[in-house]
């Protein structure tokens, strides 16, 4: 007989891009034209509900059961008769409502920033003061979002600015139909809302793989020479210089850079050594500079970095190379860089789906450094005589937190990114994780050793006596950390835990995890395997574990 069923709560909490996502829209405009958002969220099953007009404040007071609540409030909702002081008070009240709703942690709330509507400018200085006042109101929204992880701000002002206010806004339609946005801008607004939703519910791309010639610089190094390629402060070299600056910022945000180039390695290394560029060769976590097929090199990089090809982006100037990679590795997202079209080239990174994120964790900022530290660990591992010698030499310390809402972004991120050492592969959004912390035990594990801080690398969720989630970043495998995680949880739960394994195509490495660590197989039902606690892991030389708040 089965030892028990998993908590219904946790079956509901698991998220993936195939999950049904409920979205509600409310505001001071008719929201039906924004309902096409569902079509823009490719790969996600979406239902959309519209509230009556001018009910957005009441919707905030009520408890929404939706996954996402999109609220629209235009400038006229706050500003009356040009009184910025009164508008600031109104915005403060709005932010207070937002804060209360966001603190409930069950729904992602998306609001918009404010834009000035077209009008007559009679007194010039007053017009400038009004613009400053609108900027102040937007700053209040930004500060509110920074303080509440379940709140995002859609940059409608930026969208309208790119399209052009005269084309994007119709005063006539606003007054007659309560819909100020024209068909010229609505697709871009919908895309902005879709981007916000995907930032929160879809895993971010991990690696950007770049061609070199006519992508990182203008020209072909083998033909133009180190001194002949174009990169610098003058056109066209400035296009490539700014693209490299963007790539450097992307790397600093936690996306790894890799290079595949059909070149002589010595020529590329010489160029990086001699020419002043924003990127250094060491900024690329992996490189393949040879004459092999680029699809082969990208697959090799995926294996080296231990990532799936579906988490990789490939950028090249050559359509043939993009086609070859797309045909051989259809999971890779391919994009053409055309340095001759500066505006498109420098907007490219912003158009790539799932490359951005709403905010960063400490682990994101340290990602490239962590890969460098891992290379040092592997060097030590190769010279150690035994695994015990290797682990002892690392001086590993583990910190464990319980239901730490301050770490919800990283914890949710791990549930969405970890595939191999993940016993149930349940996906959770930040909202769902905050809800779990109210009703279950969510343990997070941070690892530090002599080479640096690996950050939070493990998550265990226990509910109703069941280990619903047990996962660890593959960067931490091979150091007994997973055993220490299980041992700690078993001790804290006083042995009243049952193990669960849901086999997938990617998590074969954990098939024997429970039986190897003091659990016995109990039953299998509908493809889910259940394990009974039988003493838990037996570790001869336990690592140091410290509880933290």
């Amino acid at each position: 007989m089965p030892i028990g069923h998993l908590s219904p709560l946790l079956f509901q909490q698991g998220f993936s891009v195939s999950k049904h996502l409920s979205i509600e829209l409310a505001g001071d405009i008719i929201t039906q034209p924004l309902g096409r958002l569902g079509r823009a969220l490719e790969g996600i099953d979406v239902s959309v509900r519209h509230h009556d007009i001018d009910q957005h404040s009441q919707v905030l007071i009520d408890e929404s059961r939706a996954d996402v609540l999109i609220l629209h409030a235009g400038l006229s909702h706050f500003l009356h008769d040009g009184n910025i002081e009164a508008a600031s008070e109104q915005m403060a009240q709005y932010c207070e409502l937002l804060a209360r709703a966001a603190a409930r942690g069950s729904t992602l709330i998306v609001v918009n920033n404010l834009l000035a509507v077209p009008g007559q400018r009679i007194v010039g200085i007053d017009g400038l003061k009004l613009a400053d006042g609108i900027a102040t109101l937007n700053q209040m929204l930004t500060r509110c979002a920074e303080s509440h992880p379940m709140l995002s701000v859609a940059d409608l002002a930026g969208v309208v600015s790119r399209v052009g206010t005269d084309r994007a806004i119709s005063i006539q339609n606003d007054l007659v139909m309560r819909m100020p946005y024209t068909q010229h801008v609505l697709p871009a607004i919908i895309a902005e809302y879709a981007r916000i939703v995907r930032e929160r519910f879809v895993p971010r791309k991990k690696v950007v793989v770049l061609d070199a010639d006519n992508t990182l610089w203008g020209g072909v190094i083998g033909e133009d020479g180190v001194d002949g390629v174009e990169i610098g402060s003058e056109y066209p070299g400035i296009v490539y210089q700014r693209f490299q600056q963007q790539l450097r910022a992307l790397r600093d945000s936690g996306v790894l850079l890799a290079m595949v180039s059909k070149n002589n390695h010595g020529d590329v290394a010489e160029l990086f050594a001699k020419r002043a560029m924003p990127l250094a060769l060491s900024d690329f976590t992996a490189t393949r500079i040879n004459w092999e097929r680029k699809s082969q090199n990208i697959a090799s990089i995926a294996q080296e970095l231990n990532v799936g090809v579906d988490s990789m982006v490939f950028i090249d100037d050559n359509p043939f190379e993009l086609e070859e990679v797309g045909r051989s590795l259809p999971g890779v997202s391919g994009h053409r860089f055309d340095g001759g079209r500066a505006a498109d080239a420098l907007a490219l990174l912003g158009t790539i789906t799932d490359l951005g994120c709403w905010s960063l964790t400490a682990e994101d900022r340290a990602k490239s450094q962590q890969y460098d530290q891992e290379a040092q660990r592997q060097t030590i591992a190769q010279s150690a005589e035994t695994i015990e010698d290797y682990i002892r030499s690392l001086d590993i310390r583990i910190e464990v937190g319980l239901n730490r809402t301050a770490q919800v972004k990283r914890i949710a991120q791990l549930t969405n990114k970890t595939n191999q050492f993940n016993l149930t592969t349940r996906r959770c959004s930040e909202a769902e994780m905050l809800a779990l912390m109210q009703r279950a035990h969510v343990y997070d594990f941070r690892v530090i050793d002599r080479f640096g801080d690996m950050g939070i690398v493990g998550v265990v969720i226990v509910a109703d006596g069941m280990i619903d989630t047990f996962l660890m970043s593959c960067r931490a495998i091979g150091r007994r950390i997973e055993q220490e995680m299980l041992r700690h949880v078993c001790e804290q739960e006083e042995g009243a835990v049952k193990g669960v394994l849901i086999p997938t195509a990617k998590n074969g490495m954990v098939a024997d995890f429970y039986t190897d660590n003091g659990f016995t197989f109990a039953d299998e039902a509908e493809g889910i395997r259940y394990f009974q606690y039988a003493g838990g892991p037996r570790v001869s030389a336990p690592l140091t574990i410290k509880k933290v708040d």
Side-chain angles (χ1 to χ4, degrees), residues 32 45 58 76 91 215 248 250 339 349 354 371 376 411 428 433 445 476 530 534 541 548:
Q32 280 72 15
D45 178 30
Q58 185 60 45
S76 61
M91 177 60 80
T215 302
R248 182 61 188 262
L250 188 66
L349 295 180
D354 303 331
Y371 271 84
Q376 294 176 288
I411 295 170
C428 278
M433 189 60 69
F445 295 84
Y530 300 91
V548 294

Side-chain angles (χ1 to χ4, degrees), residues 519-535:
F519 282 68
T520 58
F521 176 76
D523 198 6
E524 181 170 350
E526 298 180 352
I528 302 175
R529 299 175 189 172
Y530 300 91
F531 300 84
Q532 186 73 48
Y533 175 76

Side-chain angles (χ1 to χ4, degrees), residues 350-411:
T351 67
I352 298 175
T353 303
D354 303 331
L355 190 57
C357 63
W358 170 246
S359 60
L360 297 175
T361 66
E363 286 78 9
D364 290 328
R365 293 187 175 92
K367 184 66 66 180
S368 295
Q369 182 183 8
Q370 288 172 349
Y371 271 84
D372 294 339
Q373 293 169 354
E374 184 59 24
Q376 294 176 288
R377 294 185 187 99
Q378 294 305 314
T379 300
I380 295 294
Q382 292 170 6
S383 62
E385 292 186 6
T386 66
I387 184 65
E388 288 76 14
D389 289 342
Y390 168 57
I391 293 172
R392 195 162 39 246
S393 72
L394 291 177
D395 188 23
I396 297 171
R397 291 147 305 185
I398 302 173
E399 294 181 351
V400 57
L402 177 62
N403 291 341
R404 295 200 295 171
T405 57
Q407 302 298 335
V408 66
K409 181 176 179 63
R410 174 59 178 170
I411 295 170

Side-chain angles (χ1 to χ4, degrees), residues 150-164:
M150 296 313 301
L151 184 61
S152 282
V153 181
D155 184 19
L156 296 201
V159 171
V160 169
S161 175
R162 289 191 291 273
V163 173

